[in-house]
Amino acid sequence: MKATDGSEDAKRRAGESAADRVEDGMVVGLGTGSTTAHAIRTLGDRVEAGLDVRGIPTSYQSRALAREVGIPLVTLEDALPNVAIDGADQFAGAHLVKGGGAAHAREKFVDASADRLLVVADETKRADVLDHPIPVEVLPDAVPVVERAVRAEGGDPTLRSAERKDGPVVTDNGNLVLDCAFGPVEAPADLAATLSATPGCVEHGLFVGLADELHVGGETVTVERV
Ligand code: 5RP
C-alpha cells in the first residue's frame, strides 16, 4: 500500500467516526486506501455484532478487506449506495483530489451514485485550494495524447511507476496513471471538465463538490458538513 503522511491513530479515528454513521439496512460504498480501511474494519466489527449492511467495493483492495471482515457484498446492479465512505489525498471543502491508490475511476462512480459521501481523512489532507497532483487514469495507447493535452493546460504529467514491479502502475481496470501537477487549481470544475473531455482519459481524480461530510482525524475527530 502507498505511504501517506497522517498518523495511523488520526486515520483510525476518522474511519471509525464515519463507520458509526452507517445504519441498519444500508448499502455502503466502500472506498479505497489506508483511512477507509479503518472504516471497513469497524463496519466488519459492527456486522459481527449484528448490523445488517451490504457493501459495494471500489477496488481489489476494498473487496478483499470487506470479504476478510465479513461484510456481505453486492453490485450497483443490485442496489445503489445509501452512503459511501472514502478517503482523499487532499480536500478543500467539498472538493477532493483522489487516486493515490489508482482506484479513482471506480471510486468516482460509486461515490457519485451514493445519497451521501462521507470523506475520511487526517488533518494533513486539508487545503484552502487544491494543489495536489491530479491522477489521471489513461488508456495505455493514449498516454502520449493525454500527456500533450495536460501540458497544453499548463500541467506537468508523470507516468506513475510501480514500486515492487518494473514499469508503470497498472490499475484494476488495466490502464495507466499520469500524475499531473497543475499547481493551485483555482477553478476545479473547469479543469475537471477539460480532463473529462480529453480523448484517452478514462477518469481523473478531481471530485468536484462530491463530498457531503468530512470526518477529519487528529487528536480527536471533527465532523464537518460541506
Ligand atoms: C485511492 C484513493 C484514496 O482514498 C486516497 O489515496 C487516500 O488514501 P489514504 O487514506 O491511504 O491516504 O483515492 O485511489
Side-chain angles (χ1 to χ4, degrees):
M1 190 183 291
K2 72 190 156 55
T4 56
D5 287 340
S7 87
E8 215 48 49
D9 279 347
K11 293 181 193 183
R12 182 179 45 74
R13 288 185 192 104
E16 289 173 353
S17 169
D20 284 346
R21 284 282 201 271
V22 175
E23 294 168 13
D24 220 34
M26 281 185 168
V27 174
V28 187
L30 303 172
T32 300
S34 57
T35 317
T36 310
H38 288 290
I40 295 175
R41 288 192 186 285
T42 304
L43 272 182
D45 292 343
R46 294 188 62 201
V47 166
E48 202 176 336
L51 183 75
D52 170 28
V53 290
R54 290 168 293 156
I56 299 182
T58 56
S59 62
Y60 183 95
Q61 183 223 24
S62 64
R63 178 182 297 105
L65 181 57
R67 285 172 61 91
E68 180 189 321
V69 301
I71 301 173
L73 298 178
V74 292
T75 71
L76 291 171
E77 286 173 329
D78 302 310
L80 297 181
N82 303 100
V83 68
I85 300 176
D86 206 349
D89 300 302
Q90 194 174 49
F91 63 88
H95 304 323
L96 315 171
V97 176
K98 289 186 48 55
H104 54 283
R106 295 193 197 183
E107 289 172 326
K108 192 178 278 188
F109 64 73
V110 173
D111 293 353
S113 69
D115 295 339
R116 284 187 306 140
L117 171 59
L118 314 185
V119 173
V120 291
D122 61 76
E123 273 292 350
T124 65
K125 308 285 185 67
R126 190 190 293 279
D128 293 330
V129 175
L130 297 175
D131 61 2
H132 191 281
I134 296 159
V136 180
E137 180 166 343
V138 179
L139 290 168
D141 288 349
V143 166
V145 178
V146 178
E147 282 177 332
R148 191 171 54 178
V150 166
R151 288 196 185 100
E153 288 302 312
D156 182 13
T158 303
L159 184 65
R160 191 179 297 180
S161 296
E163 280 181 14
R164 295 187 61 201
K165 161 190 171 288
D166 293 334
V169 162
V170 179
T171 70
D172 289 0
N173 313 309
N175 298 313
L176 305 182
V177 176
L178 292 172
D179 289 303
C180 302
F182 285 95
V185 179
E186 303 288 352
D190 292 350
L191 181 57
T194 300
L195 293 173
S196 293
T198 301
C201 164
V202 174
E203 191 53 273
H204 58 79
L206 266 176
F207 284 36
V208 178
L210 272 188
D212 293 294
E213 227 171 75
L214 307 174
H215 293 246
V216 185
E219 287 297 312
T220 60
V221 62
T222 60
V223 179
E224 301 162 31
R225 294 232 160 79
V226 288

